[in-house]
Amino acid sequence: IAGLNFALDEQVQICRRKSFRHTRSLFHGAVFRNLLEKFYRGEADVAFNVAVTSPYLLSLQLISGKSSFVHHNVHIDVETGELIKIEDILDTKQKDLFKLLNLLNNNKNLDFSEGLPKEWYIKEDKIFFLENVCGKEEVSGFALGNLHKFIKVQKWISHKSD
């Protein structure tokens, strides 16, 4: 935990952001508490990666597991310290979004007809969706340019990952 807090504090200082009280409290939430309990019991290793730092977005990826690993992604609006959900970035009320995702999808183990997976991340000019299907983490990526019609807030996606 100390290393995680140190690294997070370092990223906050590097990015010179306003308020991260919300961000620090994330590590005491149910998802992270569960990961840490498994770590303390020796049931899982836990690591994290600072995936994106930009003037508007901080994305952390937590990785947990022993022989297979689960990724949990956290996205933070650096101006407010609030969590960013996929519904904040893409207009999920437009049904054409799901049709387009299914059309462009190259991983047929994922189906976007019923909505988007909760896990996602942005890397450079692509957005990736992750979902656990039958015990295996499945991933599908899409060029953001193909989704331009559905992007609600451009500032969170117009960056290059560090």
Side-chain angles (χ1 to χ4, degrees):
I1 300 272
L4 182 61
N5 281 334
F6 173 76
L8 182 60
D9 288 341
E10 185 178 334
Q11 283 300 317
V12 170
Q13 290 173 5
I14 289 170
C15 295
R16 297 182 195 139
R17 305 300 178 236
K18 296 178 183 175
S19 169
F20 279 88
R21 279 176 265 162
H22 298 291
T23 305
R24 290 184 62 100
S25 68
L26 291 173
F27 294 97
H28 301 287
V31 170
F32 300 102
R33 188 175 18 253
N34 185 27
L35 291 176
L36 291 175
E37 286 173 3
K38 287 181 178 182
F39 173 73
Y40 290 138
R41 290 191 306 257
E43 297 172 5
D45 294 324
V46 176
F48 81 100
N49 175 38
V50 177
V52 176
T53 56
S54 80
Y56 306 103
L57 175 68
L58 174 65
S59 289
L60 304 172
Q61 186 176 64
L62 288 107
I63 306 153
S64 172
K66 279 286 187 190
S67 59
S68 65
F69 296 89
V70 175
H71 295 81
H72 181 69
N73 299 278
V74 177
H75 314 281
I76 301 150
D77 180 335
V78 297
E79 293 178 324
T80 65
E82 299 289 329
L83 286 177
I84 300 170
K85 298 177 288 217
I86 193 61
E87 295 84 11
D88 298 329
I89 292 180
L90 293 176
D91 187 355
T92 58
K93 292 182 181 172
Q94 289 192 46
K95 297 301 177 195
D96 287 346
L97 170 64
F98 306 110
K99 292 176 186 174
L100 179 60
L101 290 174
N102 276 324
L103 180 68
L104 298 174
N105 184 14
N106 60 4
N107 183 343
K108 297 308 173 191
N109 291 325
L110 292 178
D111 181 13
F112 298 98
S113 300
E114 300 295 319
L116 298 175
K118 295 287 184 222
E119 294 295 331
W120 59 275
Y121 65 93
I122 294 172
K123 185 168 176 97
E124 296 179 2
D125 61 346
K126 293 186 175 147
I127 188 163
F128 295 86
F129 296 100
L130 298 88
E131 190 163 32
N132 190 315
V133 178
C134 299
K136 183 180 177 209
E137 198 168 71
E138 299 286 347
V139 180
S140 190
F142 302 90
L144 286 165
N146 291 335
L147 306 177
H148 67 91
K149 173 179 161 181
F150 305 100
I151 294 172
K152 291 168 69 173
V153 180
Q154 190 70 37
K155 70 178 183 179
W156 289 323
I157 61 165
S158 56
H159 67 274
K160 295 290 183 193
S161 302
D162 289 347

